[in-house]
Amino acid sequence: MSVDALSSFRVTTGTRASGAFALVAAALIVIAFAAPLFVSRSVIQNLFFILTMLALAQNWNLLAGYAGLVSVGQQAFVGIGAYAMFGAVILGGMDPVAAIAVGGVAAVLLAIPTAFFVFRLYGAYFAIGTWVIAEVARLVVAQWKSLGGGTGTSLPRDATRSIWGQEAVAALFGVRGPHAADIVSYWLALVLVIATIGFIYRLLRSRQGLGLAAVRDNQDAARSVGVDALRLKTLVYLAAAFGTGLVGALIYVQKARISPDAAFSVVDWTAYVIFIVVIGGIGTIEGPIVGIIVLFLLQNALSDYGSWYLLLLGLIGIAVMLFAPRGLWGFFTDRTGIELFPVRRNLIVAPGATPDKGGPHG
Amino acid sequence: MPILELDQVSKSFGAVPAAEAVSFAVEPGEALGIIGPNGAGKSTLFNLITGNIGVDSGRVLFGGEDVTRAPPMRRCLAGIGRTFQIPQPFQRLTVFENVLTAAMFGNRSSQAEVSGDCARILVDTGLVAHANVPAGKLTLLQRKRLELARALATGPKVLLLDEIAGGLTEAECGALVDLVRAINARGTAIVWIEHVLHALTSVVNRLVVLDFGRVIATGEPAAIMASRQVREIYLGIEV
Ligand SMILES: Nc1ncnc2c1ncn2[C@@H]1O[C@H](COP(=O)(O)OP(=O)(O)OP(=O)(O)O)[C@@H](O)[C@H]1O
Ligand SMILES: [Mg+2]
């Protein structure tokens, strides 16, 4: 007799650790939003750095870790996002906070035509292609005279003195204008990180996420079971560009001063980001979180060593790649089985209720 | 009308012709076997049918429609399912997720709609005990079963099987034959490349013999196996 297959099994995704973690994460988010009440301005600035680098790392990890698109040109989207924000403020008279959205849109507008170019390239050629695009974007932006050309420019005083929410925060917290602006930027970074992680986690658990994982593991086989690999990769490329553009714009709202060399810096916006993801663990949401904490601690511990610092970072990166190829989080999760953001779809077949072998489907 | 038709299909890799003016048709619900020595171009033929490799010349028709230029994804959605001779699992996904991917994308369905079918397919292919194991951890024989399970999950009208019976015990081989027969009995046409001839001939009703990329014989299994030319090619291979 055939057992009704639909009543004898179920599909689950969560784990006990992930359930507990959801509560901890909610508490952490509340504390993070309240942090400006009880920490100093320099701590807020450090947290801003951590959050914005984490958002960049999550976006790069989405590209490289999930779609197999190893880009070394994400600085293109940081730079374009930042410059579009500057343009919207200086030339369009927009509020800097509102202009962050312009940065995200500008990054997507750059990503659409360049996607046609880089998606014709594979592996190392793809990486080089993304870098070339970033360099071209930097050179073009350096010709933009009304935004300072090659030397760059600053946000106008009246724009930075009254960004959205700044006055209210200054009054509420009893702090001076620049400090209040930092608090607003910090909150925006927090929102951006939460939104980015939320988006990526939802994507991974969705139908598209499953297709993406299949493409990452074996593109030929994925295409043979009906997965539109190119469409999924394009979706990820555009989403990562949008996210990266938003972060770039936000970083430069806080810096309030821009130049092409800084905004399109491959070291600041791609090399560090790759370090974060590789150290922490590529292809996991937890990895970049671990990675940014490690980078921040190393930066503080090694800041007195000048250029030795970069050399040491490189050596540490190589050591991790050799001894823990899946990063620190991968090393941890392989041994403990703990996952904070589980995506695996487990099939639970009730014991004794196995559907009859050889029976017809359905 | 044939469900699948190859019309003068040719393909060479550099100077090596892997398919030369190959023509044959598969009727709906038919079970066709393809045999030939190593390097005859059997697997290449599958890649040409699925679009994993493009033809140099000739046409591939599916359900009467010309799919010669269609990408593999389109052909899968049209109803061509395939296994790879060298298993190509999604390593980091579990066995269940491998099959789920095929079922969801191959049928444009939601997870809820296809999960039951996936569970059923895992039972049929003997993989249900490994459902939540990453596919990269499977043995070669289990990977071959996963190839079959994944191809089945796409809901094919034509199922292309590439050497799935090698290395099995007598009992396992018997179970596999029963399964392929059952799939065929449900109306799915089968095209099966196989060196294990007793398994193949107990399922298929027609054989195509390939040698150096060319069809050298087509017909009933008994007649083909009796022909001198085929016996010469298969000298040393147990019938
Ligand atoms: N991608 C490729 N690039 C170059 N040559 C190839 C490629 N695929 C197959 N060949 C060559 O084409 C010929 C046919 O190979 P194919 O794999 O189709 O043979 P086969 O009949 O499946 O053999 P086997 O029984 O060993 O699986 C061989 O000479 C092989 O080396
Ligand atoms: Mg072969």
Side-chain angles (χ1 to χ4, degrees), chain B residues 85-97:
Chain B
Q85 181 177 356
I86 299 167
Q88 311 279 333
F90 306 130
Q91 307 257 1
R92 286 202 265 163
L93 293 181
T94 66
V95 168
F96 172 62
E97 286 173 320

Side-chain angles (χ1 to χ4, degrees), chain A residues 2-3 5-6 9 11 207 210-211 213-214 216-218 220-228 326 343-347 349 354-362, chain B residues 52 72-73 76 82 84 88-94 96-97 100-102 104-106 108-109 111 115-117 120-124 128 131-132 134 150 154 186:
Chain A
S2 161
V3 177
L6 286 173
F9 78 93
V11 180
R207 165 195 187 78
L210 191 61
R216 171 203 65 198
D217 280 0
N218 194 319
D220 265 349
R223 284 153 53 93
S224 293
V225 297
V227 180
D228 192 340
R326 306 216 305 120
V343 293
R344 174 176 295 181
R345 297 143 187 92
N346 287 307
L347 177 71
V349 179
T354 323
D356 272 3
K357 190 173 162 49
H361 283 254
Chain B
N52 289 86
M73 177 212 36
C76 170
R82 62 105 34 107
F84 288 91
Q88 311 279 333
F90 306 130
Q91 307 257 1
R92 286 202 265 163
L93 293 181
T94 66
F96 172 62
E97 286 173 320
L100 187 64
T101 308
M104 285 170 68
F105 285 88
R108 292 194 189 272
S109 306
Q111 181 172 320
S115 289
D117 287 340
R120 168 75 64 183
I121 287 171
L122 289 179
V123 171
D124 286 350
V128 75
N132 301 320
R150 205 172 56 183
T154 63
R186 289 198 285 264

Side-chain angles (χ1 to χ4, degrees), chain A residues 11 14 19 32 36 46 64 76 86 113 156 160 180 185 187 191 196 207 212-213 237 269 299-300 309 312 322 331 346:
Chain A
V11 180
N46 282 338
F86 261 68
T160 55
S185 303
W187 277 339
V191 169
T196 304
R207 165 195 187 78
L212 210 50
Y237 185 72
W269 313 128
Q299 274 195 342
N300 283 314
Y309 158 68
L312 272 167
L322 285 178
F331 187 83
N346 287 307

Side-chain angles (χ1 to χ4, degrees), chain B residues 37-44 46 85-86 162-163 193 195:
Chain B
N38 293 110
K42 305 182 296 295
S43 298
T44 302
F46 273 12
Q85 181 177 356
I86 299 167
D162 196 348
E163 296 193 26
I193 297 173
H195 284 305

Side-chain angles (χ1 to χ4, degrees), chain A residues 267-332:
Chain A
V267 173
D268 287 345
W269 313 128
T270 295
Y272 279 121
V273 164
I274 293 177
F275 179 86
I276 290 167
V277 175
V278 169
I279 286 277
I282 193 164
T284 63
I285 292 178
E286 298 92 335
I289 300 175
V290 173
I292 182 59
I293 294 169
V294 171
L295 176 71
F296 182 74
L297 295 178
L298 285 175
Q299 274 195 342
N300 283 314
L302 305 175
S303 57
D304 299 337
Y305 293 88
S307 56
W308 288 100
Y309 158 68
L310 281 177
L311 191 69
L312 272 167
L313 275 193
L315 288 176
I316 290 168
I318 290 167
V320 169
M321 276 192 260
L322 285 178
F323 298 110
R326 306 216 305 120
L328 295 175
W329 181 262
F331 187 83
F332 172 76

Side-chain angles (χ1 to χ4, degrees), chain A residues 20-170:
Chain A
F21 170 70
L23 291 176
V24 175
L28 279 176
I29 289 171
V30 172
I31 294 171
F33 271 106
L37 282 170
F38 44 80
V39 300
S40 70
R41 185 176 173 196
S42 72
V43 172
I44 289 295
Q45 285 172 345
N46 282 338
L47 288 173
F48 179 81
F49 168 79
I50 288 174
L51 289 171
T52 49
M53 290 307 278
L54 176 57
L56 290 179
Q58 290 289 356
N59 278 296
W60 188 81
N61 187 37
L62 175 63
L63 270 183
Y66 296 108
L69 298 169
V70 180
S71 164
V72 293
Q74 290 308 94
Q75 67 275 17
F77 302 117
V78 172
I80 283 295
Y83 264 96
M85 181 275 292
F86 261 68
V89 172
I90 293 175
L91 308 174
M94 275 178 90
D95 181 275
V97 171
I100 291 171
V102 177
V105 172
V108 173
L109 291 181
L110 174 66
I112 291 170
T114 56
F116 284 101
F117 169 60
V118 290
F119 280 9
R120 294 178 176 279
L121 309 171
Y122 291 94
Y125 295 98
F126 173 84
I128 293 166
T130 59
W131 180 79
V132 168
I133 287 168
E135 280 303 287
V136 171
R138 179 177 66 84
L139 292 169
V140 169
V141 165
Q143 303 304 312
W144 198 350
K145 290 289 183 289
S146 49
L147 290 182
T151 48
T153 186
S154 297
L155 282 178
R157 273 276 177 105
D158 19 328
T160 55
R161 243 186 254 157
S162 60
I163 66 171
W164 280 1
Q166 190 178 2
E167 270 176 40
V169 171

Side-chain angles (χ1 to χ4, degrees), chain B:
Chain B
M1 187 182 66
I3 180 78
L4 175 67
E5 195 176 350
L6 275 69
D7 177 24
Q8 298 287 314
V9 169
S10 297
K11 173 77 191 179
S12 39
F13 297 107
V16 186
E20 273 197 278
V22 174
S23 297
F24 64 81
V26 181
E27 298 300 323
E30 191 189 351
L32 173 74
I34 297 182
I35 61 170
N38 293 110
K42 305 182 296 295
S43 298
T44 302
L45 212 51
F46 273 12
N47 284 326
L48 296 172
I49 294 171
T50 60
N52 289 86
I53 295 177
V55 301
D56 289 345
S57 62
R59 295 189 310 156
V60 179
L61 304 171
F62 189 76
E65 238 178 88
D66 191 333
V67 295
T68 316
R69 303 272 157 243
M73 177 212 36
R74 249 339 106 55
R75 301 192 206 194
C76 170
L77 288 171
I80 303 180
R82 62 105 34 107
T83 69
F84 288 91
Q85 181 177 356
I86 299 167
Q88 311 279 333
F90 306 130
Q91 307 257 1
R92 286 202 265 163
L93 293 181
T94 66
V95 168
F96 172 62
E97 286 173 320
N98 268 263
V99 176
L100 187 64
T101 308
M104 285 170 68
F105 285 88
N107 299 298
R108 292 194 189 272
S109 306
S110 71
Q111 181 172 320
E113 285 168 326
V114 297
S115 289
D117 287 340
C118 292
R120 168 75 64 183
I121 287 171
L122 289 179
V123 171
D124 286 350
T125 52
L127 283 169
V128 75
H130 309 284
N132 301 320
V133 174
K137 296 230 165 86
L138 296 181
T139 65
L140 178 62
L141 284 183
Q142 290 167 340
R143 284 172 197 229
K144 285 191 173 188
R145 284 189 200 167
L146 179 56
E147 282 293 321
L148 175 59
R150 205 172 56 183
L152 269 181
T154 63
K157 294 191 185 110
V158 173
L159 179 58
L160 310 177
L161 303 173
D162 196 348
E163 296 193 26
I164 55 169
L168 298 182
T169 66
E170 197 80 4
E172 288 169 336
C173 195
L176 180 68
V177 164
D178 288 345
L179 176 59
V180 176
R181 272 209 193 110
I183 296 162
N184 188 224
R186 289 198 285 264
T188 306
I190 308 278
V191 183
W192 189 358
I193 297 173
E194 192 52 75
H195 284 305
V196 184
L197 295 176
H198 67 87
L200 184 66
T201 50
S202 62
V203 172
V204 303
N205 33 42
R206 206 156 59 94
L207 280 179
V208 168
V209 187
L210 278 184
D211 196 19
F212 292 110
R214 269 194 301 227
V215 177
I216 58 164
T218 311
E220 294 220 324
I224 292 283
M225 296 323 297
S227 92
R228 224 184 113 208
Q229 197 180 10
V230 174
R231 291 205 148 257
E232 267 167 22
I233 289 171
Y234 268 91
L235 204 70
I237 292 184
E238 213 179 319
V239 177

